[in-house]
């Protein structure tokens, strides 16, 4: 992938929600607020991390015992995001994220950001947190909200000059991040500070770490 197959420098593709942005508690608060409206039982952080998956309709299937209809999903998605964006106003970056982004860049290495958060919401947030200058490219989701990251990662890497999939490491908090990386022939490191439990993440068969610092160190080793 990428336009310059000759480059061998390692590249990180960062995930946003639950990885660089420490928003898991906002997610839980928004989930329970939306569940109250939808008539679903409240959920604990532990249970959420055990059940959560991407594409998100499958998460609701695990909760409800059946896949939501398209009409139900549209309502669920809208209600959740209405609550999430209210709670997310007070959310900060994960511990050490700014320093790690700066350190990777200062080492002469490249990084980018790919999220399933809506593109028009993501871009202002990244600028608000003052980290946009660290990335070659920032892409949020365009199109339907029920998809995984694989197709988005294909397009993301194709838009980057001098980046090869084989030397790219996706750092994220979801099994879907590892699946997307495998889809394009990239590597992955999964972080336990977000949406999945360690047990869930370990099913992906890639390194699982508890801090972003460990994630960056592991990415550097993987992409040697």
């Amino acid at each position: 992938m990428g336009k310059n197959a000759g480059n061998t420098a390692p590249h990180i593709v960062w995930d946003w929600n639950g990885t660089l942005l420490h928003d898991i508690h906002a997610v839980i608060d928004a989930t329970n607020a939306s569940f109250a409206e939808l008539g679903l039982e409240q959920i604990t952080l532990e249970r959420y991390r055990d059940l959560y998956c991407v594409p998100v309709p499958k998460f609701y299937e695990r909760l409800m015992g059946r896949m939501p209809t398209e009409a139900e999903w549209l309502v669920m998605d809208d209600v959740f995001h209405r609550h999430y964006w209210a709670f997310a106003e007070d959310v900060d970056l994960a511990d050490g994220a700014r320093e790690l982004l700066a350190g990777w860049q200062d080492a002469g290495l490249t990084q980018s950001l790919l999220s399933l958060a809506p593109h028009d919401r993501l871009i202002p947030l990244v600028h608000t947190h003052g980290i946009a200058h660290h990335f070659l490219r920032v892409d949020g989701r365009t199109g339907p909200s029920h998809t995984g990251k694989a197709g988005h990662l294909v397009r993301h890497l194709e838009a980057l000059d001098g980046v090869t999939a084989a030397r790219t490491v996706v750092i994220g908090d979801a099994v879907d991040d590892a699946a997307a990386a495998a889809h394009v022939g990239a590597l992955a490191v999964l972080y336990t500070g977000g949406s999945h439990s360690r047990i869930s993440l370990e099913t992906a068969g890639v390194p699982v770490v508890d801090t972003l610092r460990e994630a960056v160190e592991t990415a550097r080793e993987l992409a040697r």
Side-chain angles (χ1 to χ4, degrees):
M1 309 299 294
K3 297 176 182 177
N4 182 355
N7 186 23
T8 59
H11 178 83
I12 289 176
V13 176
W14 289 95
D15 174 56
W16 180 242
N17 300 103
T19 304
L20 286 176
L21 188 70
H22 185 59
D23 66 347
I24 185 60
H25 296 293
V27 168
I28 295 300
D29 290 343
T31 298
N32 280 324
S34 65
F35 281 9
E37 286 192 36
L38 297 167
L40 297 172
E41 291 185 10
Q42 299 289 282
I43 193 168
T44 63
L45 172 60
E46 183 179 29
R47 180 166 167 76
Y48 180 93
R49 282 176 161 162
D50 284 341
L51 295 180
Y52 184 75
C53 61
V54 177
V56 182
K58 290 187 176 294
F59 169 57
Y60 283 90
E61 180 182 29
R62 292 178 174 183
L63 288 167
M64 299 165 58
R66 64 174 177 82
M67 185 68 77
T69 66
E70 184 174 351
E72 286 175 329
W73 163 246
L74 291 174
V75 171
M76 291 169 170
D77 191 47
D78 179 69
V79 171
F80 169 78
H81 281 100
R82 172 161 46 82
H83 289 291
Y84 172 78
W85 291 112
F87 286 117
E89 291 180 2
D90 299 321
V91 169
D92 202 354
L93 299 181
D95 287 345
R98 287 184 177 83
E99 294 77 10
L100 291 167
L101 292 171
W104 188 262
Q105 186 177 33
D106 290 345
L109 302 172
T110 60
Q111 54 200 330
S112 57
L113 175 59
L114 176 62
S115 174
L116 292 180
H119 186 76
D120 60 347
R121 291 274 200 171
L122 175 68
I123 298 301
L125 265 180
V126 174
H127 282 277
T128 296
H129 286 286
I131 57 173
H133 63 286
H134 293 305
F135 304 114
L136 293 182
R137 184 178 182 89
V138 177
D139 284 322
R141 173 181 52 79
T142 57
S145 60
H146 62 273
T147 59
K149 189 174 277 188
H152 298 282
L153 183 57
V154 170
R155 293 185 288 275
H156 182 75
L157 292 184
E158 286 178 344
L160 293 173
D161 285 321
V163 173
T164 60
R167 302 300 306 283
T168 293
V169 182
V170 176
I171 296 179
D173 70 317
V175 172
D176 184 63
D177 292 302
H183 180 75
V184 301
L187 303 158
V189 180
L190 299 180
Y191 164 60
T192 61
S195 61
H196 282 35
S197 67
R198 171 175 279 275
I199 291 173
S200 296
L201 293 177
E202 287 175 345
T203 65
V206 302
V208 176
V209 299
D210 295 320
T211 68
L212 291 187
R213 183 167 299 281
E214 289 176 274
V216 171
E217 291 170 355
T218 304
R220 194 186 296 268
E221 290 294 319
L222 288 176
R224 274 186 172 179

